[in-house]
Amino acid sequence: MTTAADALNTPVTLPCGAILKNRIGKAAMTEGLATMAGVPTAHLDTLYGLWSDGGAGMLLSGNIQIDKDHLERPGNVIIDGSADEALKTALTSFAKTATRSGNHFWAQLSHGGRQTMKNVNLNPKAPSAIKLGLPGGQFGEPVALSIDEIKQLTQKFAFAAKTCKECGFTGVQIHAAHGYLLSSFLSPRANVRNDEYGGSIENRARFLREVIAAVRAAVGPEFPIAVKLNSADFQRGGFAFEDSITVAKWLEQDSVDLIEISGGNYEQPKLMGIEGLEEAEDQEIADADKDHRAQSTIEREAYFVEFALAMQKHVSVPLMVTGGFRQASTMQYAIESGAADIVGLGRPMCVMTDAPNALLSGQKSLPSYENELALIPSWLGFLKAIKTIRTIDSFAVQYWFYAQLSSLGRTGKANTKLSAFASAKLVDAEQKALLKTR
């Protein structure tokens, strides 16, 4: 009888010929441990050395930004159209440490787009001049990109990919999910252009496909290229699942080696398993695909398995699913049902850096910390019926995971004694210290 450990420990051969030694991928998580200039530090080496030793077949970096004026947060690694010797030396050290146990290490290449905070850019570039619908004033008024600027950014993605390959990374992932620039081009809610980059899904996907073509030309046919793609934005008028299937088919034609299925954006953060301030838009899966309704999704453990199950009926490109996995049996189901070729682990590895080795050795489940971290005590649990309070509470918990990554990188150990409130203060202080170095 096949066990979960057996299923997870099976190698994966990608279309380009690269082989991942097992079915576990460390998901991309923002670290904030580079310098303000975007140069990797020894803290990143420490963090990814721990993860390399942890047993995953593939590690994804956090956002590596291809434009210094459009960061997801201060402390992102940046490769902005050029790379001096200091940056190349740091990237080479980063990649060497992150692959020291024989695993793959892929660079997640991204552009923050309109989700760039004001403390980085007051007027970030976007497909259209449509501001994020979030309270708090943290994001500025976006400016629509010109066609010439789109072409320049395409080449920046290609340059960053080539640089990563030269410095020892073993693959790249193009971030086209979660509301960042390429994702917002796909969304008819964020993209209201009337030129060749707006309107039909073919036009809205043009930028992403041009990026893939430029990156493939830069890195060659045998270097893995992945794409992180939303199953849907879960917003009225946003990128829908039927569009996601269409784009996935095109990406397969365009020589993409792996598609990671995710969902949501800053306005609707389904990627974290929570809802935003506006009501989420349910995404209907076609009747022909509903016969594969995933047990794990019904149990609300793995957020995007059901979408991956439906998508795998339309494409043969390998799929990665991230979000919510804790039980080894659920991971086994995702693999054996065909929903996922790679299971992505995120939050558990913020504390348990050797979680992959534990699963491969037969451990049945991974720890979950979210319930214990909530800012609202159980005796005030009735307040969570208020959506605004529930959303704020969930975002506060996210800072605890940020703080764990900081602690792992700086000390080599997690600090689970931190409260969510103390973590938010710590991360905020670290960000302010970085900004002072600008």
Side-chain angles (χ1 to χ4, degrees):
M1 180 178 177
T2 302
T3 66
D6 293 332
L8 291 168
N9 208 22
T10 307
V12 180
T13 301
L14 302 177
C16 67
I19 299 174
L20 308 185
K21 64 181 181 180
N22 60 49
R23 304 281 178 143
I24 302 175
K26 195 284 294 179
M29 293 181 286
T30 179
E31 314 102 350
L33 291 172
T35 69
M36 191 61 209
V39 179
T41 64
H43 301 320
L44 276 172
D45 285 5
T46 298
L47 176 61
Y48 279 81
L50 291 169
W51 279 333
S52 179
D53 296 341
M58 183 267 287
L59 307 178
L60 276 165
S61 76
N63 290 278
I64 294 180
Q65 300 293 352
I66 59 96
D67 189 312
K68 62 182 174 57
D69 295 324
H70 292 83
L71 309 182
E72 170 265 337
R73 66 186 285 204
N76 289 153
V77 175
I78 304 169
I79 307 174
D80 185 358
S82 64
D84 60 21
E85 286 307 311
L87 177 56
K88 287 181 179 179
T89 298
L91 287 169
T92 300
S93 175
F94 187 19
K96 182 178 180 180
T97 306
T99 56
R100 70 187 184 191
S101 295
N103 56 281
H104 274 255
F105 178 41
W106 295 358
Q108 185 188 69
L109 303 181
S110 184
H111 182 294
R114 66 176 186 157
Q115 291 181 170
T116 301
M117 291 189 177
K118 272 186 177 180
N119 60 9
V120 174
N121 192 335
L122 288 172
N123 299 111
K125 294 299 178 73
S128 304
I130 298 176
K131 189 176 180 180
L132 279 176
L134 289 174
Q138 293 182 325
F139 301 92
E141 296 284 347
V143 176
L145 284 161
S146 69
I147 290 179
D148 284 346
E149 288 172 326
I150 291 172
K151 302 298 185 185
Q152 291 167 13
L153 289 175
T154 299
Q155 293 308 310
K156 283 190 174 185
F157 272 104
F159 178 84
K162 184 178 180 181
T163 300
C164 287
K165 180 183 179 182
E166 292 171 348
C167 291
F169 290 75
T170 64
V172 293
Q173 182 189 69
I174 308 302
H175 201 335
H178 299 173
Y180 298 118
L181 184 65
L182 291 172
S183 173
S184 63
F185 263 85
L186 293 172
S187 169
R189 177 167 166 151
N191 179 355
V192 295
R193 300 173 72 99
N194 56 13
D195 58 17
E196 61 262 46
Y197 291 96
S200 67
I201 183 59
E202 182 177 16
N203 284 351
R204 286 182 278 120
R206 190 182 305 278
F207 187 12
L208 171 58
R209 298 188 72 185
E210 288 177 349
V211 167
I212 298 302
V215 169
R216 179 56 77 196
V219 300
E222 298 178 356
F223 192 74
I225 299 175
V227 170
K228 191 163 194 168
L229 182 70
N230 274 359
S231 56
D233 292 343
F234 301 100
Q235 292 179 291
R236 294 189 184 280
F239 185 64
F241 183 57
E242 59 184 14
D243 284 344
S244 184
I245 290 176
T246 299
V247 173
K249 290 178 180 178
W250 288 334
L251 293 176
E252 183 171 27
Q253 296 171 17
D254 294 341
S255 79
V256 165
D257 296 291
L258 181 76
I259 297 175
E260 182 181 4
I261 306 299
S262 193
N265 51 41
Y266 282 15
E267 293 173 325
Q268 191 55 263
K270 284 282 189 176
L271 59 150
M272 293 189 291
I274 60 176
E275 289 188 11
L277 296 180
E278 82 175 77
E279 184 176 352
E281 173 78 353
D282 289 336
Q283 289 293 313
E284 284 295 321
I285 293 177
D287 288 341
D289 297 322
K290 287 185 178 179
D291 57 328
H292 284 305
R293 188 159 299 272
Q295 181 181 351
S296 56
T297 300
I298 295 171
E299 294 172 354
R300 303 185 64 82
E301 177 174 325
Y303 311 149
F304 303 112
V305 164
E306 186 176 348
F307 292 99
L309 274 168
M311 185 172 285
Q312 59 88 19
K313 297 180 71 174
H314 300 273
V315 297
S316 59
V317 62
L319 301 179
M320 174 174 171
V321 180
T322 302
F325 286 108
R326 297 295 184 272
Q327 304 299 315
S329 59
T330 304
M331 301 176 204
Q332 180 180 8
Y333 173 82
I335 293 167
E336 293 182 347
S337 66
D341 297 275
I342 302 293
V343 169
L345 299 181
R347 284 180 168 182
M349 292 184 69
C350 293
V351 176
M352 190 177 176
T353 58
D354 63 346
N357 277 333
L359 291 166
L360 296 171
S361 297
Q363 185 162 313
K364 301 299 184 185
S365 64
L366 299 176
S368 180
Y369 304 91
E370 286 84 349
N371 292 336
E372 292 78 8
L373 289 169
L375 291 178
I376 300 172
S378 58
W379 61 276
L380 288 176
F382 66 90
L383 291 175
K384 290 192 177 183
I386 303 172
K387 179 172 281 192
T388 301
I389 292 177
R390 187 168 70 246
T391 300
I392 292 171
D393 190 44
S394 297
F395 273 108
V397 170
Q398 183 72 4
Y399 278 93
W400 186 85
F401 291 98
Y402 289 169
Q404 298 312 308
L405 296 186
S406 177
S407 182
L408 285 170
R410 296 175 193 279
T411 71
K413 297 180 180 179
N415 183 2
T416 57
K417 294 182 180 179
L418 279 173
S419 67
F421 179 72
S423 298
K425 287 182 65 177
L426 174 65
V427 173
D428 183 61
E430 290 176 351
Q431 296 285 280
K432 287 178 178 177
L434 266 177
L435 286 165
K436 285 182 180 178
T437 67
R438 243 192 329 199

